[in-house]
Amino acid sequence: MTDDAGWQPLPPRARTLFVISDGLGWGLLAVPAMIAAAMLLPRPVPAMPAGFAALVLLPAFGAWMGLRRYRYARWLVDDTGFGYRRGRMWQVETRVPRTRVQHVDLKHGPLERHFRLATLVVHTAGTRDSAVAVRGLGADEATRLRDLLARQIDQDDDGHAAD
């Protein structure tokens, strides 16, 4: 991700959303880890610290992963269409040409509403499940992007009707 010309970061308040959701997700794994430690370790002395370590380390690892996911997520809208980049070690860049955009949705989960964020879902032409979802956009920015992409769809439809 060396060329960042035009690529926009997620808003700073999205960092909290990523940390909380990833921390909770990994934290849920602590329960089976604690049960496994209690069943596999013969005495309570090694089982208690192992269970406590799982209870602390798994959510902490999830929070760290959430920070990393937030830090390396970028989006772009230009004349050619929509783009979304994420990841550092395993980088993924998705580009949706504006001619392939079918429709655009906004999703607002409870945590997203609390932090005034939204998930923009760009549905593309192709198979039934073809979509690009960008989580953690500012609610106002997501609305603006949805409207911009919708106008591009309308303009493309008007251009094809004249052909």
Side-chain angles (χ1 to χ4, degrees), residues 18-82:
F18 278 67
V19 167
I20 289 172
S21 62
D22 286 17
L24 286 175
W26 280 90
L28 289 176
L29 293 176
V31 174
M34 289 172 54
I35 292 170
M39 292 175 66
L40 297 175
L41 296 173
R43 293 184 308 263
V45 173
M48 294 288 283
F52 181 72
L55 188 62
V56 171
L57 294 177
L58 285 173
F61 177 74
W64 178 76
M65 289 296 292
L67 281 173
R68 306 278 300 174
R69 282 190 332 111
Y70 163 78
R71 186 175 181 188
Y72 295 104
R74 300 276 186 273
W75 60 269
L76 169 76
V77 173
D78 58 15
D79 293 339
T80 63
F82 179 77

Side-chain angles (χ1 to χ4, degrees), residues 12-160:
R13 64 185 181 274
R15 180 182 330 123
T16 307
L17 174 71
F18 278 67
V19 167
I20 289 172
S21 62
D22 286 17
L24 286 175
W26 280 90
L28 289 176
L29 293 176
V31 174
M34 289 172 54
I35 292 170
M39 292 175 66
L40 297 175
L41 296 173
R43 293 184 308 263
V45 173
M48 294 288 283
F52 181 72
L55 188 62
V56 171
L57 294 177
L58 285 173
F61 177 74
W64 178 76
M65 289 296 292
L67 281 173
R68 306 278 300 174
R69 282 190 332 111
Y70 163 78
R71 186 175 181 188
Y72 295 104
R74 300 276 186 273
W75 60 269
L76 169 76
V77 173
D78 58 15
D79 293 339
T80 63
F82 179 77
Y84 182 48
R85 282 184 179 171
R86 59 203 175 279
R88 181 170 183 201
M89 187 178 279
W90 287 278
Q91 297 176 0
V92 177
E93 182 176 321
T94 304
R95 295 286 296 191
V96 180
R98 62 187 254 178
T99 58
R100 303 292 288 173
V101 175
Q102 294 295 303
H103 65 281
V104 186
D105 292 329
L106 287 181
K107 294 182 180 182
H108 305 271
L111 279 176
E112 287 176 318
R113 284 193 306 273
H114 177 75
F115 292 108
R116 298 180 331 274
L117 300 169
T119 298
L120 178 74
V121 183
V122 180
H123 297 274
T124 62
T127 62
R128 188 180 75 184
D129 295 324
S130 295
V132 177
V134 181
R135 186 171 161 236
L137 289 168
D140 294 339
E141 187 69 17
T143 301
R144 186 187 71 77
L145 288 172
R146 180 199 59 198
D147 295 344
L148 176 66
L149 291 169
R151 275 195 304 277
Q152 287 181 348
I153 295 167
D154 290 341
Q155 289 170 356
D156 287 344
D157 287 346
D158 292 343
H160 291 302

